[in-house]
Amino acid sequence: DTGVSQNPRHKITKRGQNVTFRCDPISEHNRLYWYRQTLGQGPEFLTYFQNEAQLEKSRLLSDRFSAERPKGSFSTLEIQRTEQGDSAMYLCASSLGGQDEQYFGPGTRLTVT
Amino acid sequence: GQQLNQSPQSMFIQEGEDVSMNCTSSSIFNTWLWYKQDPGEGPVLLIALYKAGELTSNGRLTAQFGITRKDSFLNISASIPSDVGIYFCAGQLIWAGKSTFGDGTTLTVKP
C-alpha cells in the first residue's frame, strides 16, 4: 500500500501528558498537511510543509503544538501538556504540489481523559 | 476567513434514488474537491474540479464547478448501500496550500 499512513491510529492519554503522532506521506509528494477534525465538523487546517519547510501555521496551532518534517519525508505532530479540548481526529494529507489534490491518511484519534 | 456552507446537512434516501448536494462559499476558489469519509477513517478523494463550469464524472458520481467559482454540486445516481457516509466539499486557492472544508452531508441509504 503506497498511500498516506499515520501512527498510531488511536491514542488515549491523560490530561497534561505529551503525545506525538507520525505521518508518512505518499513517497513522491512534496507537500504534507496536518488537519484536525472534531465530531460533526469538516477537517480544519493546522499547518503544512513544502519539503522540510513549514510554510503556514493556523491560529488553531497554539504554542503547545509543534510539527516537524526534518528530512522532507515523514512528519511528526507533537502536543505538549494535552487538554481535554485537544481530543479530536488528527489527519495528515499529502500532495505532489500546491495545486494538486490532497490525499488523506486514516487519521489518529486522540482521546484526552 | 473563508467558510463553506454545505447542504443538506443530512439525507435519508431509498436505494436506487438519485442524490444531490451542494456547497457554497462567500468567496471564490480555484479548485473544488469532493471527498467521502467513512466512520473512523480519513476522507477519500472522489472528484477534483479545476475550471469554472467544469462537469466531471467518476462512475455514478458527477460534480460541477459553479460558473461564479463560489459553488459546487455533487450528484450521485442510482444510490446503493455502500454510498452511505459523510460527503465533504473542499475549496482551494492557487496561492494557499490548505483546503477549506464544509461540515459535510451525511448520507443514509435504506435498502
Side-chain angles (χ1 to χ4, degrees), chain A residues 9 33 35 37 42 101-102, chain B residues 35 37 40 50 92 97 99 103:
Chain A
R9 293 291 310 273
Y33 310 81
Y35 290 83
Q37 186 179 28
E101 306 95 37
Q102 295 176 19
Chain B
Y35 291 86
Q37 187 174 29
Y50 299 102
Q92 286 183 335
S99 290
D103 285 336

Side-chain angles (χ1 to χ4, degrees), chain A residues 35 37 41-45 102 104, chain B residues 2-6 23 29 33-35 43 88-91 98-104:
Chain A
Y35 290 83
Q37 186 179 28
Q41 308 286 319
E44 293 177 293
F45 170 78
Q102 295 176 19
F104 282 81
Chain B
Q2 295 169 313
Q3 286 189 313
L4 295 187
N5 296 307
Q6 222 175 316
C23 199
F29 285 105
L33 303 158
W34 284 92
Y35 291 86
F88 290 99
C89 62
K98 64 185 179 185
S99 290
T100 300
F101 281 79
D103 285 336

Side-chain angles (χ1 to χ4, degrees), chain A residues 3-30:
Chain A
V4 179
S5 62
Q6 292 186 246
N7 289 289
R9 293 291 310 273
H10 303 273
K11 179 71 176 177
I12 300 174
T13 191
K14 293 187 176 178
R15 191 176 52 192
Q17 298 292 306
N18 299 344
V19 294
T20 300
F21 311 140
R22 176 178 170 127
C23 172
D24 288 88
I26 294 171
S27 60
E28 61 272 19
H29 282 188
N30 297 316

